[in-house]
Amino acid sequence: MIKQVTAFTFTGKTFFNEDFILDNTIRPLTKDEDTLVKFSPLYDDTFTQQVERFQVAKITLQQRKPVDEDVLSEVTSQRVGEDATLEEYESMSEDVYRELMQYTGFKPNKHALVIIDNQSGKLLITTNTKNTDEMMSLVIGSLEGEYEDLKLVDFEAPLIEKLLTNYLLDESKNLPDPFMLVEKVNLGSKSEFDKSPKNATISIKKEYPSDPETLGFILNRNKVVKLLQLDYDGVVELEFTNKFEIKGIKFKEDLAFEPEDDSAESLNFMSQYVLQLPVLFDIVNSLEEQVSLVEY
């Protein structure tokens, strides 16, 4: 299920190396690992699939829960004694951490699709940037072909904030078809270039967000839009943020696929993503193009 995406661009053509993927599938975490990234089957024993022009694979992130810092400090202090040097303490702390890590349990696994579209030069990973950072090394290892410049689609927050604010100030003039406003908007102070985006301070949810109260915050209190919920052609709802996050994705109407219990898993997979992937890439490409045209 696709709830959000992180987008990358590249030039040239790239393909999955199926041998590499099969060599990096199911295995347990070793005692010295607190994170494991591996490829998982899309269905049955199938690890890669061509869905029309798109290539799809599935990646899984498994993580141990962190060691409690108070317990770590207490056990380390007991073992090194009062006269230990800082170097001895740090060495023992690392050993104790590895020991305690075996008993912390696991966080819920994070699963994501990795989708390649050579036509638009895009690679999408269906999770947030934090998880993508953990997965990216293995993703890069799985790629082959004559491609280069694989880069995160990333813009300065003030540019996106200006675009989103203009959408809200004048939907008919600034928001291109087939996008429409929905009901959710987050407002906050304008971010600065070359600094982390400022968090939203006001969250508004109304049947139509571009109303006098909302506009008053922008025009009279110098707020900008940090997140805006959008509808795309009546078939997808999403939230677009000043970090170029595309999240809260909800497929509607004909794209709201429900698997059929009596159909093969492979058929359900193909039926769903033949419908959804073209629209998803259209949305990402359109938003990237719109931000790239913003002047500041």
Side-chain angles (χ1 to χ4, degrees):
M1 185 174 292
I2 299 174
K3 291 294 185 182
Q4 61 188 84
V5 296
T6 301
F8 296 81
T9 60
F10 61 88
T11 58
K13 304 289 184 183
T14 188
F15 308 92
F16 287 122
N17 183 324
E18 295 191 22
D19 290 336
F20 178 91
I21 288 176
L22 292 175
D23 287 340
N24 289 274
T25 57
I26 298 171
R27 72 168 178 83
L29 277 163
T30 69
K31 68 177 183 178
D32 294 324
E33 292 178 319
D34 53 14
T35 298
L36 175 63
V37 182
K38 57 193 177 184
F39 285 95
S40 300
L42 295 167
Y43 54 85
D44 301 329
D45 295 321
T46 300
F47 286 84
T48 63
Q49 179 64 60
Q50 191 78 31
V51 181
E52 295 188 337
R53 75 176 195 260
F54 308 102
Q55 304 166 61
V56 185
K58 183 179 179 181
I59 200 163
T60 296
L61 170 65
Q62 185 179 32
Q63 295 174 299
R64 297 183 191 273
K65 294 179 180 178
V67 174
D68 185 278
E69 291 294 331
D70 291 337
V71 174
L72 176 62
S73 177
E74 180 181 352
V75 175
T76 302
S77 297
Q78 290 173 351
R79 293 199 182 174
V80 298
E82 297 180 356
D83 299 326
T85 65
L86 178 61
E87 183 178 353
E88 290 171 335
Y89 183 91
E90 289 178 345
S91 177
M92 179 59 71
S93 179
E94 184 176 342
D95 291 341
V96 172
Y97 181 89
R98 292 295 173 190
E99 179 182 328
L100 295 178
M101 191 175 64
Q102 310 307 308
Y103 307 102
T104 60
F106 298 93
K107 297 179 181 179
N109 288 349
K110 305 294 185 182
H111 304 286
L113 297 180
V114 183
I115 312 160
I116 299 170
D117 177 23
N118 282 309
Q119 179 174 305
S120 64
K122 288 286 192 308
L123 182 147
L124 303 186
I125 303 180
T126 62
T127 187
N128 58 38
T129 305
K130 181 179 179 181
N131 291 335
T132 297
D133 288 344
E134 297 279 0
M135 298 173 174
M136 205 58 205
S137 178
L138 195 64
V139 171
I140 291 173
S142 73
L143 303 178
E144 60 180 354
E146 296 183 5
Y147 78 96
E148 56 187 1
D149 297 329
L150 180 65
K151 297 184 295 188
L152 180 70
V153 176
D154 188 28
F155 294 92
E156 294 276 11
L159 295 175
I160 305 178
E161 290 170 2
K162 182 178 180 181
L163 180 73
L164 294 177
T165 303
N166 286 339
Y167 284 170
L168 199 64
L169 288 174
D170 193 338
E171 178 183 5
S172 61
K173 176 182 176 183
N174 298 315
L175 185 61
D177 291 335
F179 288 101
M180 296 179 293
L181 299 179
V182 187
E183 58 182 23
K184 182 178 179 181
V185 55
N186 290 353
L187 304 176
S189 299
K190 182 166 61 176
S191 299
E192 300 177 35
F193 285 98
D194 302 321
K195 292 187 178 181
S196 297
K198 295 180 180 179
N199 292 330
T201 57
I202 305 169
S203 182
I204 300 170
K205 192 171 185 180
K206 294 189 175 184
E207 185 174 345
Y208 186 66
S210 186
D211 70 348
E213 181 185 13
T214 309
L215 298 183
F217 282 110
I218 295 172
L219 299 174
N220 302 323
R221 302 191 189 183
N222 201 30
K223 299 298 183 183
V224 296
V225 177
K226 302 283 186 171
L227 174 152
L228 193 60
Q229 188 180 34
L230 299 171
D231 178 283
Y232 183 84
D233 204 24
V235 295
V236 182
E237 283 185 6
L238 61 110
E239 296 172 5
F240 186 45
T241 81
N242 63 339
K243 299 178 183 179
F244 204 91
E245 297 169 325
I246 302 170
K247 60 183 185 178
I249 296 171
K250 180 181 178 181
F251 293 98
K252 306 187 302 178
E253 302 298 331
D254 293 340
L255 298 189
F257 180 80
E258 290 292 336
E260 297 183 8
D261 294 337
D262 57 351
S263 294
E265 197 173 358
S266 58
L267 180 59
N268 280 326
F269 177 90
M270 292 296 292
S271 298
Q272 176 177 358
Y273 293 115
V274 163
L275 289 172
Q276 294 178 353
L277 293 186
V279 177
L280 184 64
F281 275 82
D282 285 346
I283 291 170
V284 173
N285 292 333
S286 178
L287 293 174
E288 181 193 25
E289 180 182 7
Q290 291 166 52
V291 181
S292 67
L293 295 175
V294 176
E295 298 180 358
Y296 206 87

